[in-house]
Amino acid sequence: MRPVRVLETHLGKRLFLRQGNRITLTDAGRAIYPRIELALTDLGAVTEDLREGRHRPRLVVSVLPSVAELWLAPVMSGFAPLGGIEIRVEDDPVSFARGAVDLRVTYGGHYYPDHEVERLLRDRIVAVAAPGFAVSGGGLDAAPDGMFIHTDWGPAFATQPSWAAWFASRRSARRPDAQDGIRVDRTGFAAAAARNGLGVALVPERIVGADLAAGRLVLADPHGLAMSWDYVMVWPKAIGRRPLLRALTAHLRAAALSSP
C-alpha cells in the first residue's frame, strides 16, 4: 500500500477508504482509476514483453466460457483482422490491469462499475434438445425427471436458470427432481449434452443461436424465461478509441443485432 500512500500525498487526495480488511474507492479514486488502470496495463505489457521477449497481442479479449463456446466463436468467423487477437476464456471477475485485458464479454456488468459497459444483447432461457429426441405426448410437464439436464452456475450467481423457475414462469406445478437428472456446472456443457441426446437442457436462446439455426438443437417447448441481466461488453474508459477495439466492438454489436 506504500505506493498508494505516496500517490495520495502527491495528489493531495484520498483515493481509498480503508475499513478493516475492506478497501473502497473514494470519488477522487473513481475519477483517476481508469487512467491509472490504463497506465498499469501498458506497464504490465511492456514488462511482460521485456521478460519473455515477445510482443504483446494487439488486443486481449476476455470472455465468459459459455459465451465463448456458444456465441463468440461463430460470430468471430466474420471478423477480418483476427491476427494479433488473444481470446481468454475465464469466469468473472477479471482484472483488466493485471491481465492486460482490453475487452471483456460477459453476463452482467456489475463487477466493473468503473469501466465502460455496453449492453450487447438481452436473452431468455429456453428448453432445447437434439433433433428427434423423444419427448412424451404430454410435453415436458409429463417427461420423466431423468430427462432433465440441470445447470448450476455456482455460488457467484444469485439467480440462474433452473427448471423450477422455468416451470413456475409458465404456471406449471411441475418441479423435476435434480437428483434424477444430469447436473452440470457450465451452460456450454449443458448445450453439448442436449446436442448429443442426453436430455433436455435450459440454455440462453440467442447464445445458442448458431446451434438452433443449424438444426443441431431444437426447441423442446416454445416457452422462454427472461434472464435477469444483459450480456455486455466491458472495456477501460481510457482505451475506447483504439481502432482495433472499436472495430471489434462494432462487429460484435452488429452480430448481436442480427441474431434472432
Side-chain angles (χ1 to χ4, degrees), residues 41-256:
T41 296
D42 290 341
L43 180 60
V46 171
T47 301
E48 188 175 348
D49 288 346
L50 291 173
R51 184 171 58 240
E52 298 187 12
R54 64 179 178 82
H55 294 293
R56 181 181 183 272
R58 289 192 298 151
L59 197 70
V60 176
V61 182
S62 170
V63 193
L64 195 69
S66 59
V67 178
E69 300 163 17
L70 300 170
W71 187 79
L72 186 68
V75 304
M76 284 295 286
S77 62
F79 186 65
L82 283 173
I85 295 180
E86 178 181 332
I87 297 177
R88 299 176 187 166
V89 180
E90 50 194 345
D91 290 313
D92 287 302
V94 300
S95 170
F96 282 77
R98 286 197 301 271
V101 173
D102 299 304
L103 176 66
R104 173 73 174 160
V105 182
T106 189
Y107 177 59
H110 43 283
Y111 285 111
Y112 312 103
D114 300 308
H115 294 68
E116 195 71 39
V117 178
E118 179 182 325
R119 173 179 170 175
L120 189 58
L121 57 87
R122 167 70 61 142
D123 214 338
R124 65 176 196 153
I125 295 295
V126 293
V128 297
F133 185 79
V135 177
S136 65
L140 294 180
D141 286 286
D145 286 353
M147 182 180 288
F148 295 94
I149 298 169
H150 302 264
T151 308
D152 183 355
W153 285 9
F157 291 92
T159 60
Q160 54 190 318
S162 69
W163 283 107
W166 186 85
F167 276 109
S169 69
R170 63 198 291 265
R171 299 183 179 180
S172 169
R174 180 69 196 276
R175 300 292 184 271
D177 188 347
Q179 300 301 318
D180 289 338
I182 298 174
R183 294 179 62 89
V184 301
D185 64 354
R186 297 282 183 184
T187 297
F189 188 80
R195 199 183 300 125
N196 285 278
L198 301 184
V200 183
L202 289 175
V203 296
E205 184 176 27
R206 297 178 69 186
I207 294 298
V208 299
D211 280 322
L212 291 170
R216 294 185 293 267
L217 289 171
V218 298
L219 293 179
D221 188 285
H223 178 71
L225 172 64
M227 298 183 72
S228 301
W229 300 322
D230 296 324
Y231 286 94
V232 298
M233 297 185 291
V234 186
W235 62 89
K237 295 178 181 179
I239 68 169
R241 293 185 177 275
R242 288 185 180 176
L244 187 55
L245 175 63
R246 294 180 69 179
L248 180 56
T249 54
H251 176 79
L252 297 181
R253 194 180 299 121

